[in-house]
Amino acid sequence: MSVLMASKPYHVDLAELMRTYETNYAKLNALIPRQPNIGDVRCYQAAHLTYQLQVLEVTKYTTLVEICQSDDISIFPLPTMSVRLYHDARVAEVCASEQLGRVDARYDYPNDKMVQKDEKAQVNRFLGDWLTFCLKRGISRTPMNINHQQH
């Protein structure tokens, strides 16, 4: 005799998600230009892989950055992600991902794309892990613009 188990509905853990957004904001700000302009690109070499961050949009309160792996041939490619930084709230959120397009807060499961109920939380935690990897192991391939004033 089989018994159907009623699954509990998924609820977004907003406090945990906000902590992830806040730490991702701090990490991402360390990797992009201080005063970003549309089209700015930063490349990082980490563990024989090349990653690229490109500024797609800059507004008064937000910056949109696309993150991708820019190697010619990738064994384990990083999915392309669009990340929006909200400067007033000091948070960064993955708003689109290559395999999903726009990332929703939660999904019904099962679904056509077989994404997890907590896909948004997972993709933002993945971003945090990737940013930590770049900060610890990455070498900038773009010269940092440091203005020296002569006296």
Short mmCIF file of all heavy atoms in Angstrom, two decimals, residues 92-146:
data_model
loop_
_atom_site.label_atom_id
_atom_site.label_comp_id
_atom_site.label_asym_id
_atom_site.label_seq_id
_atom_site.Cartn_x
_atom_site.Cartn_y
_atom_site.Cartn_z
N ALA A 92 22.76 43.00 -4.40
CA ALA A 92 22.93 42.58 -5.79
C ALA A 92 22.13 41.29 -5.97
O ALA A 92 22.23 40.37 -5.17
CB ALA A 92 24.40 42.34 -6.11
N GLU A 93 21.35 41.25 -7.04
CA GLU A 93 20.44 40.13 -7.29
C GLU A 93 20.61 39.62 -8.71
O GLU A 93 20.67 40.40 -9.66
CB GLU A 93 19.01 40.62 -7.08
CG GLU A 93 17.95 39.72 -7.60
CD GLU A 93 16.57 40.35 -7.58
OE1 GLU A 93 16.45 41.59 -7.70
OE2 GLU A 93 15.61 39.58 -7.46
N VAL A 94 20.68 38.30 -8.87
CA VAL A 94 20.66 37.70 -10.20
C VAL A 94 19.25 37.88 -10.73
O VAL A 94 18.29 37.39 -10.14
CB VAL A 94 21.03 36.20 -10.17
CG1 VAL A 94 20.89 35.59 -11.55
CG2 VAL A 94 22.43 36.00 -9.63
N CYS A 95 19.11 38.63 -11.81
CA CYS A 95 17.77 38.86 -12.35
C CYS A 95 17.52 38.03 -13.59
O CYS A 95 16.36 37.83 -13.98
CB CYS A 95 17.53 40.34 -12.60
SG CYS A 95 18.78 41.18 -13.54
N ALA A 96 18.57 37.51 -14.23
CA ALA A 96 18.39 36.63 -15.38
C ALA A 96 19.58 35.68 -15.45
O ALA A 96 20.69 36.02 -15.06
CB ALA A 96 18.28 37.43 -16.68
N SER A 97 19.29 34.49 -15.96
CA SER A 97 20.32 33.48 -16.11
C SER A 97 20.13 32.81 -17.46
O SER A 97 19.00 32.68 -17.93
CB SER A 97 20.21 32.45 -14.98
OG SER A 97 21.21 31.48 -15.09
N GLU A 98 21.23 32.43 -18.05
CA GLU A 98 21.23 31.87 -19.41
C GLU A 98 20.17 30.79 -19.61
O GLU A 98 19.41 30.82 -20.56
CB GLU A 98 22.61 31.30 -19.69
CG GLU A 98 22.80 30.69 -21.02
CD GLU A 98 24.23 30.19 -21.19
OE1 GLU A 98 25.11 30.60 -20.43
OE2 GLU A 98 24.43 29.39 -22.10
N GLN A 99 20.08 29.86 -18.68
CA GLN A 99 19.16 28.74 -18.87
C GLN A 99 17.72 29.08 -18.51
O GLN A 99 16.81 28.37 -18.91
CB GLN A 99 19.62 27.50 -18.09
CG GLN A 99 19.54 27.62 -16.59
CD GLN A 99 20.77 28.24 -15.96
OE1 GLN A 99 21.53 28.94 -16.61
NE2 GLN A 99 20.97 28.01 -14.69
N LEU A 100 17.47 30.18 -17.79
CA LEU A 100 16.12 30.49 -17.35
C LEU A 100 15.54 31.76 -17.94
O LEU A 100 14.33 31.93 -17.95
CB LEU A 100 16.09 30.66 -15.81
CG LEU A 100 16.36 29.44 -14.98
CD1 LEU A 100 16.39 29.80 -13.52
CD2 LEU A 100 15.32 28.37 -15.26
N GLY A 101 16.38 32.66 -18.39
CA GLY A 101 15.88 34.00 -18.69
C GLY A 101 15.67 34.68 -17.35
O GLY A 101 16.53 34.62 -16.48
N ARG A 102 14.52 35.28 -17.15
CA ARG A 102 14.24 35.93 -15.87
C ARG A 102 14.12 34.88 -14.77
O ARG A 102 13.51 33.84 -14.96
CB ARG A 102 12.93 36.71 -15.98
CG ARG A 102 12.67 37.64 -14.81
CD ARG A 102 11.47 38.51 -15.10
NE ARG A 102 10.23 37.77 -15.03
CZ ARG A 102 9.53 37.60 -13.92
NH1 ARG A 102 9.95 38.12 -12.79
NH2 ARG A 102 8.42 36.90 -13.93
N VAL A 103 14.72 35.16 -13.61
CA VAL A 103 14.69 34.23 -12.49
C VAL A 103 13.58 34.65 -11.53
O VAL A 103 13.61 35.75 -10.99
CB VAL A 103 16.05 34.19 -11.75
CG1 VAL A 103 16.01 33.19 -10.61
CG2 VAL A 103 17.17 33.85 -12.72
N ASP A 104 12.61 33.77 -11.33
CA ASP A 104 11.50 34.05 -10.41
C ASP A 104 11.87 33.69 -8.98
O ASP A 104 12.77 32.88 -8.74
CB ASP A 104 10.25 33.26 -10.82
CG ASP A 104 9.69 33.72 -12.16
OD1 ASP A 104 9.84 34.92 -12.49
OD2 ASP A 104 9.12 32.89 -12.87
N ALA A 105 11.15 34.27 -8.03
CA ALA A 105 11.41 34.02 -6.61
C ALA A 105 11.17 32.56 -6.23
O ALA A 105 11.85 32.01 -5.39
CB ALA A 105 10.57 34.93 -5.75
N ARG A 106 10.15 31.94 -6.83
CA ARG A 106 9.91 30.53 -6.57
C ARG A 106 9.19 29.93 -7.77
O ARG A 106 8.61 30.63 -8.58
CB ARG A 106 9.11 30.31 -5.29
CG ARG A 106 7.70 30.77 -5.33
CD ARG A 106 7.01 30.52 -3.97
NE ARG A 106 5.60 30.75 -4.09
CZ ARG A 106 4.71 29.84 -4.44
NH1 ARG A 106 5.08 28.62 -4.70
NH2 ARG A 106 3.44 30.14 -4.53
N TYR A 107 9.28 28.61 -7.85
CA TYR A 107 8.68 27.88 -8.96
C TYR A 107 7.83 26.74 -8.42
O TYR A 107 8.15 26.16 -7.38
CB TYR A 107 9.77 27.29 -9.88
CG TYR A 107 10.57 28.33 -10.62
CD1 TYR A 107 11.71 28.89 -10.06
CD2 TYR A 107 10.18 28.75 -11.88
CE1 TYR A 107 12.44 29.86 -10.74
CE2 TYR A 107 10.91 29.71 -12.57
CZ TYR A 107 12.03 30.25 -12.00
OH TYR A 107 12.75 31.21 -12.67
N ASP A 108 6.77 26.42 -9.15
CA ASP A 108 6.03 25.20 -8.84
C ASP A 108 6.89 24.04 -9.31
O ASP A 108 7.67 24.16 -10.26
CB ASP A 108 4.69 25.19 -9.58
CG ASP A 108 3.73 26.25 -9.04
OD1 ASP A 108 3.81 26.56 -7.83
OD2 ASP A 108 2.92 26.75 -9.83
N TYR A 109 6.76 22.93 -8.64
CA TYR A 109 7.56 21.77 -9.01
C TYR A 109 6.68 20.55 -9.04
O TYR A 109 5.88 20.37 -8.13
CB TYR A 109 8.71 21.58 -8.01
CG TYR A 109 9.72 20.58 -8.47
CD1 TYR A 109 10.76 20.96 -9.28
CD2 TYR A 109 9.61 19.24 -8.10
CE1 TYR A 109 11.69 20.04 -9.73
CE2 TYR A 109 10.54 18.32 -8.54
CZ TYR A 109 11.58 18.72 -9.35
OH TYR A 109 12.49 17.80 -9.80
N PRO A 110 6.76 19.72 -10.06
CA PRO A 110 7.63 19.80 -11.23
C PRO A 110 7.15 20.87 -12.20
O PRO A 110 6.00 21.29 -12.15
CB PRO A 110 7.53 18.41 -11.85
CG PRO A 110 6.21 17.89 -11.42
CD PRO A 110 5.91 18.52 -10.09
N ASN A 111 8.06 21.28 -13.09
CA ASN A 111 7.74 22.28 -14.11
C ASN A 111 8.44 21.91 -15.41
O ASN A 111 9.25 20.98 -15.44
CB ASN A 111 8.13 23.69 -13.63
CG ASN A 111 9.57 23.76 -13.19
OD1 ASN A 111 10.48 23.56 -14.00
ND2 ASN A 111 9.81 24.03 -11.91
N ASP A 112 8.12 22.63 -16.48
CA ASP A 112 8.66 22.29 -17.80
C ASP A 112 10.19 22.32 -17.86
O ASP A 112 10.80 21.49 -18.51
CB ASP A 112 8.10 23.24 -18.87
CG ASP A 112 6.61 23.05 -19.11
OD1 ASP A 112 6.09 21.98 -18.72
OD2 ASP A 112 5.99 23.94 -19.68
N LYS A 113 10.80 23.28 -17.19
CA LYS A 113 12.26 23.40 -17.24
C LYS A 113 12.94 22.63 -16.12
O LYS A 113 14.16 22.62 -16.03
CB LYS A 113 12.66 24.87 -17.17
CG LYS A 113 12.24 25.64 -18.41
CD LYS A 113 12.78 27.05 -18.37
CE LYS A 113 12.37 27.79 -19.63
NZ LYS A 113 12.86 29.16 -19.66
N MET A 114 12.14 22.01 -15.24
CA MET A 114 12.65 21.23 -14.11
C MET A 114 13.59 22.04 -13.22
O MET A 114 14.59 21.54 -12.72
CB MET A 114 13.33 19.95 -14.59
CG MET A 114 12.36 18.97 -15.24
SD MET A 114 10.97 18.50 -14.18
CE MET A 114 11.77 17.52 -12.96
N VAL A 115 13.26 23.31 -13.01
CA VAL A 115 14.02 24.13 -12.07
C VAL A 115 13.50 23.87 -10.67
O VAL A 115 12.34 23.50 -10.48
CB VAL A 115 13.99 25.63 -12.42
CG1 VAL A 115 14.68 25.91 -13.73
CG2 VAL A 115 12.57 26.15 -12.45
N GLN A 116 14.35 24.05 -9.71
CA GLN A 116 13.99 23.79 -8.32
C GLN A 116 13.06 24.88 -7.78
O GLN A 116 13.05 26.00 -8.28
CB GLN A 116 15.25 23.72 -7.46
CG GLN A 116 16.18 22.60 -7.86
CD GLN A 116 15.53 21.24 -7.70
OE1 GLN A 116 14.99 20.92 -6.66
NE2 GLN A 116 15.58 20.45 -8.77
N LYS A 117 12.34 24.54 -6.74
CA LYS A 117 11.41 25.50 -6.12
C LYS A 117 12.17 26.75 -5.67
O LYS A 117 11.67 27.85 -5.76
CB LYS A 117 10.71 24.88 -4.91
CG LYS A 117 9.76 23.78 -5.26
CD LYS A 117 9.16 23.18 -4.00
CE LYS A 117 8.24 22.04 -4.32
NZ LYS A 117 7.62 21.48 -3.10
N ASP A 118 13.38 26.54 -5.17
CA ASP A 118 14.19 27.65 -4.64
C ASP A 118 15.31 28.05 -5.60
O ASP A 118 16.39 28.45 -5.18
CB ASP A 118 14.77 27.28 -3.28
CG ASP A 118 15.76 26.13 -3.36
OD1 ASP A 118 15.76 25.39 -4.37
OD2 ASP A 118 16.55 25.98 -2.42
N GLU A 119 15.05 27.98 -6.89
CA GLU A 119 16.07 28.26 -7.90
C GLU A 119 16.71 29.64 -7.72
O GLU A 119 17.91 29.80 -7.88
CB GLU A 119 15.48 28.15 -9.30
CG GLU A 119 16.50 28.16 -10.41
CD GLU A 119 17.27 26.86 -10.54
OE1 GLU A 119 16.82 25.82 -10.03
OE2 GLU A 119 18.35 26.89 -11.17
N LYS A 120 15.92 30.65 -7.37
CA LYS A 120 16.46 32.01 -7.20
C LYS A 120 17.49 32.03 -6.07
O LYS A 120 18.58 32.59 -6.22
CB LYS A 120 15.35 33.01 -6.91
CG LYS A 120 15.88 34.45 -6.85
CD LYS A 120 14.74 35.43 -6.83
CE LYS A 120 15.18 36.79 -7.23
NZ LYS A 120 15.15 37.06 -8.65
N ALA A 121 17.17 31.39 -4.95
CA ALA A 121 18.12 31.34 -3.84
C ALA A 121 19.38 30.58 -4.25
O ALA A 121 20.50 31.02 -3.95
CB ALA A 121 17.48 30.69 -2.62
N GLN A 122 19.21 29.48 -4.98
CA GLN A 122 20.37 28.69 -5.39
C GLN A 122 21.28 29.44 -6.35
O GLN A 122 22.50 29.43 -6.20
CB GLN A 122 19.91 27.38 -6.04
CG GLN A 122 19.35 26.38 -5.06
CD GLN A 122 19.09 25.04 -5.72
OE1 GLN A 122 19.86 24.60 -6.57
NE2 GLN A 122 18.00 24.39 -5.32
N VAL A 123 20.70 30.12 -7.34
CA VAL A 123 21.52 30.83 -8.32
C VAL A 123 22.23 32.02 -7.67
O VAL A 123 23.37 32.34 -8.01
CB VAL A 123 20.70 31.23 -9.57
CG1 VAL A 123 19.78 32.38 -9.32
CG2 VAL A 123 21.61 31.51 -10.74
N ASN A 124 21.63 32.65 -6.67
CA ASN A 124 22.28 33.75 -5.97
C ASN A 124 23.37 33.24 -5.03
O ASN A 124 24.41 33.89 -4.89
CB ASN A 124 21.26 34.61 -5.23
CG ASN A 124 20.60 35.60 -6.17
OD1 ASN A 124 21.19 36.62 -6.52
ND2 ASN A 124 19.40 35.29 -6.62
N ARG A 125 23.19 32.08 -4.42
CA ARG A 125 24.26 31.48 -3.61
C ARG A 125 25.42 31.07 -4.52
O ARG A 125 26.59 31.25 -4.17
CB ARG A 125 23.74 30.28 -2.82
CG ARG A 125 22.94 30.68 -1.59
CD ARG A 125 22.70 29.51 -0.65
NE ARG A 125 22.04 28.39 -1.29
CZ ARG A 125 20.73 28.17 -1.28
NH1 ARG A 125 19.92 29.02 -0.67
NH2 ARG A 125 20.22 27.11 -1.88
N PHE A 126 25.10 30.54 -5.70
CA PHE A 126 26.14 30.19 -6.67
C PHE A 126 26.93 31.43 -7.07
O PHE A 126 28.16 31.39 -7.14
CB PHE A 126 25.52 29.53 -7.91
CG PHE A 126 26.51 29.28 -9.00
CD1 PHE A 126 27.40 28.23 -8.92
CD2 PHE A 126 26.57 30.12 -10.10
CE1 PHE A 126 28.33 28.00 -9.93
CE2 PHE A 126 27.50 29.90 -11.11
CZ PHE A 126 28.38 28.84 -11.03
N LEU A 127 26.23 32.54 -7.33
CA LEU A 127 26.93 33.78 -7.66
C LEU A 127 27.89 34.16 -6.54
O LEU A 127 29.03 34.54 -6.79
CB LEU A 127 25.93 34.92 -7.90
CG LEU A 127 26.55 36.30 -8.07
CD1 LEU A 127 27.43 36.37 -9.32
CD2 LEU A 127 25.47 37.38 -8.11
N GLY A 128 27.44 34.06 -5.30
CA GLY A 128 28.30 34.38 -4.16
C GLY A 128 29.54 33.51 -4.12
O GLY A 128 30.65 34.00 -3.88
N ASP A 129 29.37 32.21 -4.36
CA ASP A 129 30.53 31.30 -4.38
C ASP A 129 31.48 31.66 -5.51
O ASP A 129 32.70 31.67 -5.34
CB ASP A 129 30.07 29.85 -4.55
CG ASP A 129 29.32 29.31 -3.34
OD1 ASP A 129 29.41 29.92 -2.25
OD2 ASP A 129 28.64 28.27 -3.50
N TRP A 130 30.92 31.99 -6.67
CA TRP A 130 31.75 32.34 -7.82
C TRP A 130 32.52 33.64 -7.56
O TRP A 130 33.70 33.76 -7.87
CB TRP A 130 30.89 32.47 -9.08
CG TRP A 130 31.69 32.84 -10.27
CD1 TRP A 130 32.42 32.01 -11.06
CD2 TRP A 130 31.89 34.15 -10.77
NE1 TRP A 130 33.06 32.74 -12.03
CE2 TRP A 130 32.75 34.06 -11.87
CE3 TRP A 130 31.43 35.41 -10.39
CZ2 TRP A 130 33.16 35.16 -12.60
CZ3 TRP A 130 31.84 36.51 -11.12
CH2 TRP A 130 32.69 36.38 -12.21
N LEU A 131 31.84 34.64 -6.98
CA LEU A 131 32.50 35.91 -6.67
C LEU A 131 33.63 35.70 -5.66
O LEU A 131 34.70 36.29 -5.80
CB LEU A 131 31.48 36.92 -6.14
CG LEU A 131 30.46 37.42 -7.16
CD1 LEU A 131 29.36 38.22 -6.46
CD2 LEU A 131 31.11 38.23 -8.25
N THR A 132 33.41 34.86 -4.66
CA THR A 132 34.46 34.55 -3.68
C THR A 132 35.65 33.90 -4.39
O THR A 132 36.80 34.25 -4.12
CB THR A 132 33.91 33.61 -2.59
OG1 THR A 132 32.87 34.29 -1.88
CG2 THR A 132 34.99 33.20 -1.60
N PHE A 133 35.37 32.98 -5.29
CA PHE A 133 36.43 32.32 -6.07
C PHE A 133 37.25 33.35 -6.84
O PHE A 133 38.49 33.33 -6.81
CB PHE A 133 35.80 31.30 -7.02
CG PHE A 133 36.76 30.67 -7.99
CD1 PHE A 133 37.69 29.74 -7.56
CD2 PHE A 133 36.71 30.98 -9.34
CE1 PHE A 133 38.57 29.15 -8.45
CE2 PHE A 133 37.58 30.40 -10.24
CZ PHE A 133 38.52 29.48 -9.79
N CYS A 134 36.58 34.28 -7.52
CA CYS A 134 37.30 35.31 -8.28
C CYS A 134 38.10 36.24 -7.38
O CYS A 134 39.21 36.63 -7.72
CB CYS A 134 36.33 36.13 -9.13
SG CYS A 134 35.98 35.34 -10.71
N LEU A 135 37.54 36.59 -6.24
CA LEU A 135 38.25 37.49 -5.33
C LEU A 135 39.48 36.81 -4.73
O LEU A 135 40.51 37.46 -4.54
CB LEU A 135 37.32 37.97 -4.21
CG LEU A 135 36.29 39.00 -4.64
CD1 LEU A 135 35.22 39.18 -3.57
CD2 LEU A 135 36.95 40.33 -4.96
N LYS A 136 39.40 35.53 -4.43
CA LYS A 136 40.52 34.81 -3.82
C LYS A 136 41.57 34.36 -4.83
O LYS A 136 42.75 34.36 -4.55
CB LYS A 136 40.01 33.60 -3.04
CG LYS A 136 39.31 33.96 -1.76
CD LYS A 136 38.91 32.72 -1.00
CE LYS A 136 38.28 33.10 0.32
NZ LYS A 136 37.84 31.92 1.07
N ARG A 137 41.11 33.93 -6.00
CA ARG A 137 42.02 33.30 -6.97
C ARG A 137 42.21 34.10 -8.25
O ARG A 137 43.06 33.75 -9.06
CB ARG A 137 41.50 31.92 -7.35
CG ARG A 137 41.21 31.03 -6.17
CD ARG A 137 42.21 29.92 -6.12
NE ARG A 137 41.77 28.89 -5.19
CZ ARG A 137 42.30 28.75 -3.98
NH1 ARG A 137 43.23 29.57 -3.58
NH2 ARG A 137 41.89 27.80 -3.19
N GLY A 138 41.41 35.12 -8.46
CA GLY A 138 41.42 35.83 -9.74
C GLY A 138 42.51 36.86 -9.86
O GLY A 138 42.89 37.51 -8.90
N ILE A 139 42.99 36.99 -11.07
CA ILE A 139 43.97 38.02 -11.42
C ILE A 139 43.33 38.86 -12.50
O ILE A 139 42.88 38.35 -13.53
CB ILE A 139 45.28 37.40 -11.94
CG1 ILE A 139 45.91 36.53 -10.84
CG2 ILE A 139 46.24 38.49 -12.41
CD1 ILE A 139 47.06 35.69 -11.34
N SER A 140 43.28 40.17 -12.28
CA SER A 140 42.65 41.05 -13.26
C SER A 140 43.47 41.08 -14.53
O SER A 140 44.69 41.22 -14.50
CB SER A 140 42.53 42.47 -12.70
OG SER A 140 42.03 43.34 -13.68
N ARG A 141 42.79 40.93 -15.66
CA ARG A 141 43.46 41.03 -16.95
C ARG A 141 43.31 42.44 -17.52
O ARG A 141 43.79 42.72 -18.59
CB ARG A 141 42.89 39.99 -17.91
CG ARG A 141 43.17 38.57 -17.41
CD ARG A 141 42.66 37.55 -18.36
NE ARG A 141 43.42 37.60 -19.59
CZ ARG A 141 43.08 36.95 -20.68
NH1 ARG A 141 42.00 36.22 -20.71
NH2 ARG A 141 43.80 37.04 -21.79
N THR A 142 42.60 43.29 -16.80
CA THR A 142 42.40 44.67 -17.21
C THR A 142 43.20 45.56 -16.27
O THR A 142 43.07 45.45 -15.06
CB THR A 142 40.90 45.05 -17.10
OG1 THR A 142 40.14 44.10 -17.84
CG2 THR A 142 40.65 46.45 -17.62
N PRO A 143 44.05 46.43 -16.81
CA PRO A 143 44.79 47.31 -15.91
C PRO A 143 43.83 48.19 -15.11
O PRO A 143 42.84 48.68 -15.64
CB PRO A 143 45.64 48.17 -16.85
CG PRO A 143 45.50 47.59 -18.20
CD PRO A 143 44.33 46.67 -18.19
N MET A 144 44.10 48.31 -13.83
CA MET A 144 43.29 49.17 -13.00
C MET A 144 43.67 50.62 -13.27
O MET A 144 44.86 50.95 -13.36
CB MET A 144 43.49 48.86 -11.50
CG MET A 144 43.02 47.48 -11.13
SD MET A 144 41.26 47.35 -11.41
CE MET A 144 41.00 45.63 -11.16
N ASN A 145 42.69 51.48 -13.44
CA ASN A 145 42.95 52.89 -13.72
C ASN A 145 43.23 53.61 -12.40
O ASN A 145 42.33 53.85 -11.62
CB ASN A 145 41.75 53.54 -14.41
CG ASN A 145 41.54 52.94 -15.79
OD1 ASN A 145 42.49 52.53 -16.44
ND2 ASN A 145 40.30 52.90 -16.22
N ILE A 146 44.49 53.90 -12.17
CA ILE A 146 44.88 54.62 -10.97
C ILE A 146 45.46 55.95 -11.43
O ILE A 146 46.46 55.99 -12.15
CB ILE A 146 45.92 53.83 -10.15
CG1 ILE A 146 45.32 52.49 -9.75
CG2 ILE A 146 46.36 54.63 -8.95
CD1 ILE A 146 46.30 51.56 -9.07
#
